[in-house]
Amino acid sequence: MRLSMMCVTVVVLAMFAGCSQEDREDAAERIGKAADALKGDDGSERTPRVVKEQQRKERIRQNTKWTPENQAKFPIEYCQAMLEEIAKDSQHYEMLMHKFLTAKSSVTRKIAENDAQLKSYSVFLNTAKKTYREAEASGSWPATINGFNLSKEKLQEKIVDAASKVKSFQAVTATLKTNLAKLEKKTARISEEQRKLVLTKESLQRTLDNLQLKKVVDSEDGIRDSVAAINDAIGALGEGAEEASLEDLVTPDANTMRKATFDAIMTE
């Protein structure tokens, strides 16, 4: 009888080989019920399909995730895995730091260049305004600036152009300095994250060394405490790295500053 049942099972399963997973499960369930009937079992002790499905998902989770159970069972391997993750995070922050430092260097250079231009045009504007007032008061036209003779109309034109340049350079400088401040905040945050990564790595390495030397694995409590400390340290990583500060929120962006500058010029 047992051999016959096995043969029937093989034949039936072969018939359903090309069917869907659900059809195969239905077939397997019917075969199981038939086998139970032959044994005089009503099948009341059989595990429901929904339970089996949940058990399957849990097996996958336990097999693919560092669950608390896996952390407690394999603390050495867990430490090694977290050290690998920290190495990846360290590389990520190094790339970000290089990016922001490069941007800071570029912005700093542009601020210096812009300030030099601003100074030149400001000096010229002050000189031109003084020369204009003196020529207007004495009626001695054309006026001479830096060896060039300029009529009254031409000097007025140069003064207007210079004033426009001064305001433009002032607006650009303000925008660049705002961007520089933001970059400095970002590099400071990344630096703090790098510092925390170093401390966490050192803590993980110490825990790993202790585990390997059997100093911590004296009891389940010791393992649990060590894993909890690791998770606390890892959980602290990344906090505030991208969080906007109050200064970030109240600092106007470049478009707002440009619009305000334009409006001020137009109302003069």
Side-chain angles (χ1 to χ4, degrees), residues 73-163:
K73 253 195 221 179
F74 308 102
I76 291 178
E77 290 79 3
Y78 177 58
C79 286
Q80 293 168 338
M82 292 304 99
L83 283 170
E84 291 176 2
E85 289 299 317
I86 284 179
K88 293 178 184 177
D89 289 342
S90 296
Q91 186 176 17
H92 170 70
Y93 282 121
E94 284 175 8
M95 292 174 62
L96 277 182
M97 181 63 85
H98 176 72
K99 172 184 174 181
F100 289 134
L101 287 176
T102 301
K104 274 184 62 178
S105 177
S106 175
V107 170
T108 301
R109 175 178 52 79
K110 289 178 181 178
I111 288 175
E113 293 173 353
N114 203 71
D115 283 347
Q117 293 273 37
L118 175 60
K119 183 177 179 180
S120 295
Y121 278 97
S122 295
V123 169
F124 171 79
L125 179 60
N126 291 333
T127 301
K129 288 163 68 176
K130 180 181 178 183
T131 301
Y132 181 90
R133 292 188 184 104
E134 291 174 349
E136 185 71 2
S138 62
S140 55
W141 295 101
T144 302
I145 297 181
N146 295 333
F148 293 92
N149 293 326
L150 300 172
S151 66
K152 181 177 181 178
E153 292 75 16
K154 184 61 68 174
L155 183 53
Q156 287 177 347
E157 180 184 326
K158 296 300 181 184
I159 289 173
V160 170
D161 289 344

Side-chain angles (χ1 to χ4, degrees), residues 10-53:
V10 171
V11 171
V12 172
L13 289 177
M15 292 173 60
F16 284 91
C19 299
S20 66
Q21 177 68 24
E22 186 175 355
D23 289 337
R24 290 197 297 272
E25 290 178 355
D26 286 338
E29 187 173 348
R30 289 197 295 273
I31 292 170
K33 288 181 178 179
D36 290 339
L38 288 174
K39 294 186 293 182
D41 188 350
D42 61 3
S44 59
E45 299 300 323
R46 293 177 62 81
T47 304
R49 184 188 300 176
V50 66
V51 176
K52 288 182 179 178
E53 176 62 17

Side-chain angles (χ1 to χ4, degrees), residues 42-71:
D42 61 3
S44 59
E45 299 300 323
R46 293 177 62 81
T47 304
R49 184 188 300 176
V50 66
V51 176
K52 288 182 179 178
E53 176 62 17
Q54 191 58 43
Q55 289 173 339
R56 183 184 70 81
K57 290 179 180 178
E58 178 61 17
R59 285 195 300 272
I60 293 174
R61 190 177 77 92
Q62 292 291 349
N63 197 44
T64 57
K65 306 288 184 184
W66 276 111
T67 62
E69 295 84 358
N70 284 333
Q71 294 173 22

Side-chain angles (χ1 to χ4, degrees), residues 222-237:
I223 297 175
R224 192 178 300 111
D225 292 343
S226 296
V227 170
I230 292 169
N231 290 335
D232 288 342
I234 292 173
L237 296 175

Side-chain angles (χ1 to χ4, degrees), residues 158-202:
K158 296 300 181 184
I159 289 173
V160 170
D161 289 344
S164 176
K165 288 282 189 181
V166 166
K167 288 185 177 181
S168 176
F169 283 121
Q170 286 173 337
V172 171
T173 296
T175 299
L176 288 171
K177 287 182 177 178
T178 297
N179 291 336
L180 181 61
K182 290 179 179 179
L183 286 168
E184 287 174 345
K185 290 172 187 174
K186 286 184 179 294
T187 53
R189 290 172 188 165
I190 292 172
S191 179
E192 175 61 17
E193 286 304 306
Q194 290 178 317
R195 186 188 69 81
K196 289 195 290 186
L197 278 172
V198 170
L199 294 176
T200 303
K201 180 180 178 181
E202 292 174 352

